[in-house]
Amino acid sequence: APGMPYGLGEAKRGVMGVFVVLLRAIGPATHKIMSMAAWRDAVAAAGFVAPQTYIATGNMIVESNAPLPTVTRQMNEIVRALGLGPGNVAVVRTPVQLRQLVDSNPFPKAAAERGGQMGVYFFVDPQPDLGWVAHYPGPERLHVEANHLIVDYTRLISASPRLPGLIEKRSGTATARNWNTLKGLAERASAREQKDH
């Protein structure tokens, strides 16, 4: 606020942070209900700063001075208001969390050669049950990184039709992005964060 000491003003309204929003189950059917442009407009109208979508699969980089749980709640309220159902839930992460996932790179050869055939699962529950992963027989390779699951499908993702359902059955509601999309989001979100500070 004008005339107010810098520190006090910041403490009052909270420091602006960068967030990555990942919507679950976005595709041709949901685009007819909510376009990425309509989502961006609604997010900006709700007071978020500079919403930027990335690829048409329900990814957004945005800034807000609200804490992560509030951003998550508000994003879910916005997509409901735009007509999407409870299955199209928002999962929100910080640039740091995405960088940690990229840096973990548990399957470097696969990431380099076929990043589009690697899936990264982001769970709605902050503490998903991932204990079953250690006993999973394959052929896909699974790696737990913090509260995320990274999957090397070892072949076309479409050749593993049961695995996404199994993951949600065992660990709860999630949304997945391939490795290349994760890297793109991490790079863009980190660039936004550095520009702001």
Side-chain angles (χ1 to χ4, degrees):
M4 189 181 279
Y6 173 77
L8 188 59
E10 283 299 305
K12 250 189 145 168
R13 69 174 191 279
V15 177
M16 194 65 70
V18 176
F19 297 94
V20 179
V21 185
L22 307 163
L23 293 185
R24 180 178 177 272
I26 297 298
T30 57
H31 289 318
K32 291 176 186 156
I33 301 166
M34 181 195 82
S35 69
M36 294 296 99
W39 184 30
R40 275 194 309 273
D41 291 347
V43 166
F48 288 90
V49 176
Q52 170 193 14
T53 51
Y54 176 66
I55 310 180
T57 52
N59 311 299
M60 181 180 284
I61 301 166
V62 71
E63 293 168 47
S64 173
N65 57 12
L68 191 144
T70 304
V71 172
T72 303
R73 178 179 53 76
Q74 290 174 328
M75 283 294 167
N76 279 309
E77 289 169 357
I78 290 166
V79 296
R80 291 301 155 275
L82 289 169
L84 294 190
N88 306 115
V89 65
V91 179
V92 181
R93 295 292 185 264
T94 64
V96 169
Q97 289 172 308
L98 295 196
R99 283 197 303 272
Q100 286 169 343
L101 284 169
V102 172
D103 291 346
S104 74
N105 198 1
F107 309 118
K109 190 170 190 294
E113 294 174 4
R114 44 187 170 80
Q117 302 307 320
M118 280 174 61
V120 183
Y121 285 79
F122 300 85
F123 296 93
V124 171
D125 187 332
Q127 297 295 324
D129 176 8
L130 295 165
W132 62 275
V133 170
H135 312 290
Y136 181 70
E140 307 90 351
R141 298 187 297 166
L142 277 52
H143 173 83
V144 175
E145 187 63 39
N147 56 344
H148 301 87
L149 181 63
I150 301 173
V151 178
D152 172 16
Y153 282 94
T154 71
R155 53 200 173 158
L156 289 176
I157 291 176
S158 57
S160 300
R162 290 190 187 89
L163 185 57
L166 174 68
I167 290 169
E168 287 208 315
K169 184 179 174 189
R170 303 298 296 269
S171 303
T173 305
T175 187
R177 298 296 182 273
N178 73 37
W179 189 257
N180 298 336
T181 300
L182 168 69
K183 280 178 65 180
L185 283 166
E187 286 164 12
R188 282 163 175 76
S190 296
R192 280 276 287 270
E193 204 172 48
Q194 285 160 7
K195 192 182 79 178
D196 292 346
H197 296 97

